[in-house]
């Protein structure tokens, strides 16, 4: 996650790649010292195992024996987000024992981890040893008695951009947004990571199916007969099963890149104004490769995508999207990504090397709408162009907020990243197994006629 890479933190998938990403800013206000644009290409290959059953949408209320709160109110447990890399990723404070760290907020993975002192840093591409500075973490965690290691388990995760980590697993007293739990966490002692000099870890808010603890102490044997996955309760599940908060959280990501850059609100809504009602849609039980058919990512079906008022649909029923705060860009099926990018004036051109669509920083973006359960959520034009860096001549290089998520196939899963999320409040209603979206009030160009 060097300053110019499109961040691919979010979703994780062992042995495969998933996306995570970057996010957008107003080209006019952005600045960056970095000089080279490095974006992994074709990062998104989130394929769902085809099975006779396909996916189901089932109520978690049924599974969990919980019923949905009748009215969601503003949360008393809100944590302010900070924007890093000019809005490519979002972090908040989390306390392990008595040590507080800024950590990336990720709805596309499930482990909460922090890097520990004395960790080994390696090159992301080659695994060659590097100095700690290469990994560019914030402060390291100094192990104290409050951490209780679980013997004979290890942690091993690979994120969508190729970054990978291993470490130990244990219990720690963890506080997030004012709620304290005894939580299973990972301490990272081996890292192939390109950090931001601020964050020390990550807060994974997805389902237990994606947790990355394994039997044994040798990570190279993970996913083998002697290194089976050992699922555990991720931090938010621990909080609501302990009865400390109702089983939903919400996220409002702001496009502001300084000061408060958003809110993670546990048990209720964030303190932002919305316009209109919430639209809900079931969280899908999926069968993404490598995992059992269960809740894993926050996956939903969308009805379609509108480009300047005309509706596009995945050509073979490709409608499954994960809602991932750890992914900067939106990843659409190739044909739709091409259509959106072609509708910029002048058109954005896909660049293999950059793995993104390069666009004139002062281009006019098309009106983009994501249709969810009959409601169209428009994307502010400001979120459609990201400053990615500067070229050799010192000129700004911009990319679009929409990237190519791969073949337009029914078994593929695409991503609604921060490009989308900056325009809505998302309620992750785990108890009801629904995501709820409401447009945010203060974005004046939500109206496609004005955009
Ligand atoms: C916030 O706290 C107030 C006062 O304790 C309580 O009445 C209210 O239900 C709480 N709201 C939420 C969403 O927990
Ligand atoms: C995290 O805590 C530090 C120290 O209290 C504070 O300076 C910083 O603003 C906090 N960050 C966020 C995002 O709240
Ligand atoms: C851990 O110890 C190191 C070295 O003493 C220190 O630099 C670092 O700030 C400590 N970490 C925290 C979170 O206090
Ligand atoms: C946390 O939970 C584990 C497992 O139940 C337990 O062994 C440990 O003592 C607990 N730690 C604290 C501080 O309560
Ligand atoms: C990283 O952060 C430290 C502590 O805040 C600061 O002293 C250092 O200059 C930063 N390094 C870079 C490369 O920004
Ligand atoms: C993580 O697990 C995979 C198997 O799932 C293994 O191939 C890999 O070597 C492990 N990572 C490390 C750094 O040991
Ligand atoms: C929300 O709307 C109210 C009433 O218009 C306004 O006073 C308030 O400042 C707005 N809050 C935010 C966070 O924009
Ligand atoms: C649409 O919303 C209604 C009302 O909340 C809900 O019952 C239905 O399952 C939703 N359908 C889809 C496809 O999201």
């Amino acid at each position: 996650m060097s300053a110019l890479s499109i961040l691919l933190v979010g979703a994780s998938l062992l042995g495969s790649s998933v996306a995570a990403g970057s996010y957008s800013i107003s080209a006019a206000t952005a600045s960056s010292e970095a000089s080279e644009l490095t974006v992994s290409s074709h990062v998104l290959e989130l394929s769902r195992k085809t099975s006779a059953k396909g996916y189901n949408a089932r109520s978690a209320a049924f599974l969990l024996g919980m019923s949905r709160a009748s009215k969601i109110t503003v949360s008393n447990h809100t944590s302010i987000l900070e924007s890093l890399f000019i809005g490519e990723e979002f972090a908040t404070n989390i306390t392990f024992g008595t040590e507080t760290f800024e950590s990336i907020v990720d709805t596309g993975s499930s482990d909460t981890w922090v890097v520990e002192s004395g960790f080994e840093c390696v090159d992301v591409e080659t695994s060659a040893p590097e100095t700690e500075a290469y990994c560019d973490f914030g402060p390291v965690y100094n192990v104290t008695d409050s951490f209780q290691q679980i013997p004979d388990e290890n942690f091993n995760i690979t994120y969508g951009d190729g970054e990978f980590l291993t470490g130990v697993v244990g219990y720690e007293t963890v506080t997030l947004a004012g709620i304290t739990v005894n939580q299973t966490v990972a301490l990272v002692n081996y890292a192939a990571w390109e950090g931001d000099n601020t964050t020390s870890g990550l807060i994974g808010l997805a389902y237990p199916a994606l947790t990355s603890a394994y039997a044994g102490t040798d990570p190279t044997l993970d996913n083998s007969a002697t290194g089976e996955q050992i699922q555990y309760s991720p931090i938010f599940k621990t909080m609501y099963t302990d009865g400390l908060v109702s089983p939903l959280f919400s996220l409002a990501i702001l496009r502001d890149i300084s000061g408060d850059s958003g809110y993670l609100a546990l048990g209720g809504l964030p303190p932002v104004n919305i316009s209109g009602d919430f639209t809900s849609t079931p969280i899908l039980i999926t069968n993404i490769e490598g995992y059992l058919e269960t809740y894993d990512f926050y996956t939903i079906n969308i009805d379609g995508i509108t480009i300047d008022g005309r509706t596009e649909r995945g050509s073979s029923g490709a409608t499954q999207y994960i809602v991932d705060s750890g992914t900067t860009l939106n990843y659409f099926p190739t044909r739709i990504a091409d259509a959106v990018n072609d509708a910029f004036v002048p058109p954005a051109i896909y660049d293999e090397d950059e793995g993104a669509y390069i666009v004139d920083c002062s281009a006019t973006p098309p009106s983009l709408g994501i249709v969810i359960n009959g409601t169209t959520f428009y994307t502010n034009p400001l979120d459609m162009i990201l400053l990615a860096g500067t070229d050799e001549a010192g000129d700004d290089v911009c990319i679009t907020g929409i990237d190519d998520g791969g073949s337009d196939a029914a078994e593929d899963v695409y991503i609604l990243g921060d490009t989308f999320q900056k325009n809505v409040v998302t309620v992750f209603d785990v108890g009801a197994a629904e995501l709820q979206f409401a447009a945010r009030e203060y974005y004046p160009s939500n109206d496609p006629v004005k955009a």
Side-chain angles (χ1 to χ4, degrees):
M1 294 175 291
S2 64
L4 287 191
S5 63
I6 294 308
L7 298 183
L8 298 165
V9 180
S12 73
L13 198 58
L14 256 183
S16 183
S17 67
V18 177
S22 171
Y23 136 131
S24 96
I25 37 131
S26 150
T29 57
S31 73
S32 170
E33 312 129 56
S35 57
E36 192 200 2
L37 182 65
T38 54
V39 180
S40 341
S41 58
H42 293 110
V43 288
L44 177 62
E45 267 313 328
L46 232 191
S47 51
R48 190 159 49 80
K49 232 192 251 164
T50 35
S51 78
K53 277 201 204 157
Y55 61 84
N56 292 297
R58 223 172 270 151
S59 167
F62 168 75
L63 296 174
L64 303 169
M66 282 170 183
S67 62
R68 169 147 157 232
S70 48
K71 173 135 172 56
I72 306 172
T73 53
V74 174
S75 171
N76 295 328
H77 295 288
T78 294
S79 197
I80 293 169
L81 303 185
E82 182 190 358
S83 154
L84 296 162
F85 288 154
I86 49 176
E88 286 184 10
E89 66 180 30
F90 296 88
T92 200
N93 278 338
I94 184 167
T95 303
F96 283 62
T98 56
E99 299 169 57
T100 297
F101 305 93
E102 293 209 20
S103 287
I104 295 164
V105 173
D106 187 12
T107 63
S109 68
S110 301
D111 301 287
T112 293
W113 57 264
V114 68
V115 66
E116 68 170 304
S117 62
F119 75 96
E120 189 184 347
C121 176
V122 300
D123 186 283
V124 174
E125 306 288 330
T126 65
S127 299
E130 286 285 353
T131 61
E132 287 193 2
Y134 168 95
C135 283
D136 213 9
F137 284 107
V140 293
Y141 172 85
N142 298 305
V143 181
T144 69
D145 288 347
S146 68
F147 177 75
Q148 186 191 324
Q149 189 174 336
I150 300 172
D152 213 29
E153 279 190 28
N154 74 89
F155 173 69
N156 177 350
I157 193 166
T158 299
Y159 292 97
D161 59 351
E163 291 175 303
F164 56 91
L165 310 163
T166 62
V168 299
V169 182
Y171 304 107
E172 175 61 287
T173 303
V174 174
T175 303
L176 174 66
I179 299 177
T180 301
V181 283
N182 176 2
Q183 175 58 32
T184 303
V185 298
L187 302 187
V188 166
N189 54 33
Y190 178 85
W193 192 253
E194 293 174 341
D196 49 44
N197 198 39
T198 302
T199 57
S200 305
L202 185 143
I203 303 163
L205 296 168
Y207 286 95
L210 301 184
T211 54
S212 311
Y214 297 88
T217 53
D218 181 356
T220 62
L221 300 177
D222 291 348
N223 282 322
S224 73
T226 53
E228 289 176 343
Q229 183 198 22
I230 301 176
Q231 282 186 20
Y232 64 88
S233 168
I235 186 166
F236 185 65
K237 182 172 184 184
T238 304
M239 289 178 172
Y240 71 77
T241 51
D242 283 0
L244 301 173
V245 68
S246 21
L248 64 88
F249 66 92
S250 57
L251 204 55
I253 290 173
L254 307 182
R255 69 175 63 90
D256 303 349
I257 57 172
S258 57
D260 296 359
S261 295
Y263 306 94
L264 168 65
L266 307 182
L269 295 176
V272 298
N273 290 336
I274 60 166
S275 75
D277 296 327
F278 277 96
T279 295
S280 15
T281 194
I283 300 169
L284 304 177
I285 289 178
T286 55
N287 193 13
I288 291 168
E289 195 169 2
Y291 299 105
L292 296 174
E293 188 166 309
T294 182
Y295 289 110
D296 39 42
F297 294 97
Y298 292 106
T299 314
I300 60 166
N301 271 325
I302 68 166
D303 297 344
I305 290 169
T306 68
I307 305 166
D308 287 331
R310 107 188 153 258
T311 303
E312 298 275 351
R313 291 191 176 81
S315 55
S316 45
T319 57
Q320 289 193 19
Y321 284 70
I322 68 170
V323 178
D324 183 8
S325 66
T327 295
T328 312
L329 307 178
N330 291 347
Y331 288 79
F332 292 168
T334 303
R335 190 179 51 80
I336 303 179
D338 279 345
V340 177
N341 283 291
D342 200 44
F344 281 73
V345 182
I349 308 293
Y350 189 74
D351 187 299
E352 286 285 346
D353 292 340
E354 316 303 354
Y357 292 80
I358 305 282
V359 71
D360 186 312
C361 295
S362 54
T364 304
S367 157
L368 175 73
I370 311 293
V371 190
I372 299 172
N373 204 358
T375 303
T376 304
F377 295 95
Y378 291 101
T379 298
N380 192 303
L382 291 174
D383 302 327
M384 296 288 285
I385 298 178
L386 293 76
L387 179 63
T390 50
D391 60 18
E392 294 79 11
D395 294 325
D396 287 347
V397 175
C398 288
I399 60 170
T400 71
I402 309 302
D403 209 345
D404 181 358
S407 74
D408 196 355
E411 66 273 15
D412 283 346
V413 179
Y414 303 93
I415 296 188
L416 295 173
D418 299 327
T419 297
F420 166 71
Q421 289 179 67
K422 279 179 290 181
N423 296 276
V424 295
V425 167
T426 306
V427 178
F428 297 79
D429 193 339
V430 184
E434 287 176 357
L435 292 192
Q436 299 183 37
F437 303 94
R440 291 245 282 283
E441 187 183 67
Y442 66 89
Y443 291 104
S445 9
N446 262 355
D447 179 348
V449 178
K450 292 182 205 145

